[in-house]
Amino acid sequence: MNSRDLARYIEATDGISKPWLLVLLRLQMLKENRDYLSPEEYFQSVRELHQDSVNLGEWWIGKEDEVFGK
């Protein structure tokens, strides 16, 4: 799935409120643009994405049913 398809999926499923999907979209966009970035820019972007995903932490606690469809 390319970033355009993923963005359409996120929009169609009201995924804009799901932060992990936005991180996935950013990751897909980064993969698609890797050839246009220097190795330093690419690895800096990967580090930023990693930190953003770590910062998501346990945001889902208390929302398990909503998030995981229990």
Side-chain angles (χ1 to χ4, degrees):
M1 180 178 295
N2 64 34
S3 61
R4 201 175 278 263
D5 292 338
L6 182 54
R8 283 191 200 111
Y9 169 80
I10 291 170
E11 187 176 65
T13 60
D14 197 29
I16 198 77
S17 63
K18 298 173 181 169
W20 70 92
L21 289 177
L22 300 178
V23 169
L24 285 177
L25 178 60
R26 288 176 53 205
L27 179 60
Q28 182 60 39
M29 292 172 70
L30 179 60
K31 287 176 14 180
E32 291 171 5
N33 290 303
R34 183 177 186 174
D35 292 339
Y36 306 106
L37 300 172
S38 70
E40 295 80 19
E41 290 173 313
Y42 176 76
F43 287 115
Q44 179 60 35
S45 296
V46 169
R47 281 190 289 272
E48 290 171 5
L49 269 170
H50 175 261
Q51 187 59 52
D52 289 347
S53 65
V54 168
N55 289 344
L56 291 176
E58 296 181 352
W59 59 269
W60 49 268
I61 291 179
K63 299 196 288 185
E64 292 90 342
D65 290 346
E66 174 189 346
V67 172
F68 300 111
K70 205 171 183 190

